[in-house]
Amino acid sequence: MRECIRKGFLTGGDFLAKNKRIDMDQLTDPAYYIMLSVIEARHGYAIMKYIEELTNGEFPMGPATLYTLTKKLQQAEMIELLEDKNDRRKTYKATELGSKLLENEIERRSKMVAHGRQALYLTEEGAGKDEKAKK
Amino acid sequence: MSDGLAFAEEKEMKKLTELAENGWFLDSFAFLGYTLRKDTPQKIIYSVDYQDIANDRKEYMDMFRAAGWEHVCSAADIHIFSAPAGTKPIYTDQHTKIEKYERGKKGSGILGIVLILLTVMTDVIDRFFINSGDSMTANIVHYTFLFFCIISFPVLMVYARFQYKIYRLRKRISL
């Protein structure tokens, strides 16, 4: 029965991975930060540390979220596990596919921020004009 | 005695926190409950995760340790961790949290299907292959059938409970 459960999980995982590969051209926020931290090879602990430093602790990364996503990103072939000869710990590193998707994601996100700024600036200007009209 | 992890996870974890404040610490899983051990009272919190870690147990444990969570005990793919009060939660986003309950649901679903198949099988054996009403084998088959019926029910309840949790979390996810 244990074997049966394990098999179920595996096929489920493969099935998920196939689906994920399609919609992984957009990353969730935690997946985005994980990808940013594995541009260089890092192990689990270093990923958490790096995200904390990069965001000044503004983006919390729980260990269960990190583990779930590193597994998913591996299944989607966006990151790979590297065996370190000097260290017993394994490190994660972005694959070529992963790096390319990450670049697109950075571009997409910066465009969205620019749109946000633009919309905010336009409304502020609009509000200013209204006030002038009142005077 | 446990009220059942899947049924009242938050309540269950809070109960463990209260027990720790009184100096009773979770030690391991036991049949229908937990084993506790006595130590100096502490303010600690508990979290449960459902995860298949057969292939990278070390990576998994390292991540939790680095985040300040100490592994307490495991049973199959169920893992319990403890940490000082105020430690960041183990799941920090809704999507991965939903996936946790989906894994739990899948595990209980497979177990449920296996149990239902076994129940049906014993019933079929009972009906078609057992002739005499009060022989030893007839009794064994009959009680096995009852046993499977009785244990199938809570497994299916657990499945339903996971489904409900997923539904509630999905509703809470941002637009």
Side-chain angles (χ1 to χ4, degrees):
Chain A
M1 201 141 76
R2 179 107 186 99
E3 198 49 44
C4 175
I5 291 169
R6 187 148 318 291
K7 257 185 204 155
F9 273 125
L10 279 180
T11 48
D14 292 345
F15 172 69
L16 273 180
K18 259 175 216 156
N19 279 350
K20 282 288 133 37
R21 212 164 295 158
I22 300 160
D23 54 79
M24 270 262 181
D25 47 272
Q26 273 188 27
L27 298 169
T28 62
D29 294 351
Y32 175 68
Y33 280 116
I34 292 169
M35 286 309 296
L36 286 180
S37 48
V38 295
I39 295 172
E40 281 173 49
R42 281 195 170 86
H43 53 80
Y45 172 69
I47 294 174
M48 280 194 266
K49 212 70 210 192
Y50 181 76
I51 294 172
E52 204 179 318
E53 279 166 18
L54 187 69
T55 66
N56 288 320
E58 275 172 43
F59 194 90
M61 176 66 69
T65 292
L66 175 64
Y67 180 82
T68 307
L69 287 173
T70 49
K71 275 209 120 176
K72 256 173 91 174
L73 289 167
Q74 259 176 277
Q75 280 172 347
E77 287 163 19
M78 287 180 62
I79 62 172
E80 56 189 344
L81 253 183
L82 301 174
E83 306 263 358
D84 198 329
K85 282 160 211 139
N86 309 317
D87 202 335
R88 339 179 259 123
R89 288 171 301 188
K90 287 173 188 161
T91 53
Y92 298 92
K93 194 178 187 307
T95 60
E96 221 170 286
L97 174 75
S99 306
K100 225 168 127 189
L101 283 172
L102 179 63
E103 266 173 49
N104 291 344
E105 185 66 11
I106 294 170
E107 189 60 29
R108 187 182 75 86
R109 283 175 181 256
S110 55
K111 268 185 195 159
M112 283 172 71
V113 172
H115 296 154
R117 291 234 163 92
Q118 204 183 332
L120 208 63
Y121 175 69
L122 284 176
T123 28
E124 265 170 20
E125 210 179 39
K129 267 178 198 163
D130 279 352
E131 265 170 45
K132 266 180 204 166
K134 268 179 201 167
K135 278 175 192 170
Chain B
M1 183 73 183
S2 161
D3 291 335
L5 265 178
F7 285 95
E9 189 183 309
E10 288 85 6
K11 219 178 93 191
E12 202 74 358
M13 295 299 117
K14 244 180 229 149
K15 204 170 82 184
L16 287 173
T17 297
E18 277 165 26
L19 283 166
E21 277 168 16
N22 293 315
W24 286 101
F25 294 88
L26 173 64
D27 190 63
S28 58
F29 283 110
F31 182 66
L32 292 178
Y34 308 112
T35 314
L36 301 171
R37 94 192 128 71
K38 186 87 179 149
D39 212 327
T40 43
Q42 268 181 59
K43 260 204 160 296
I44 55 172
I45 47 174
Y46 289 88
S47 273
V48 64
D49 190 20
Y50 306 107
Q51 199 90 244
D52 172 17
I53 56 162
N55 300 320
D56 32 23
R57 190 183 177 83
K58 208 189 160 298
E59 266 66 49
Y60 182 69
M61 294 301 175
D62 278 350
M63 284 177 192
F64 277 79
R65 206 173 305 121
W69 287 91
E70 197 189 319
H71 178 244
V72 182
C73 57
S74 293
D77 291 340
I78 306 166
H79 315 285
I80 294 192
F81 294 88
S82 72
T87 307
K88 273 188 285 180
I90 63 166
Y91 280 95
T92 44
D93 100 314
Q94 295 290 316
H95 294 279
T96 46
K97 208 172 181 181
I98 288 172
E99 282 170 44
K100 164 188 168 182
Y101 293 113
E102 267 166 358
R103 282 190 298 272
K105 192 182 94 172
K106 195 175 271 168
S108 61
I110 291 164
L111 190 62
I113 289 167
V114 170
L115 284 173
I116 287 169
L117 282 177
L118 284 171
T119 313
V120 172
M121 236 168 63
T122 43
D123 188 46
V124 167
I125 293 170
D126 197 7
R127 272 165 210 267
F128 297 102
F129 298 101
I130 308 290
N131 304 315
S132 49
D134 51 11
S135 72
M136 182 80 147
T137 16
N139 271 334
I140 289 171
V141 171
H142 199 67
Y143 283 115
T144 317
F145 172 71
L146 275 177
F147 172 73
F148 283 138
C149 277
I150 290 162
I151 58 168
S152 294
F153 187 68
V155 171
L156 294 177
M157 291 282 285
V158 164
Y159 181 84
R161 182 68 204 179
F162 278 131
Q163 184 56 60
Y164 177 66
K165 273 207 152 148
I166 293 165
Y167 164 76
R168 264 201 349 207
L169 280 169
R170 283 230 172 96
K171 262 177 76 174
R172 237 195 288 164
I173 226 160
S174 57
L175 286 171

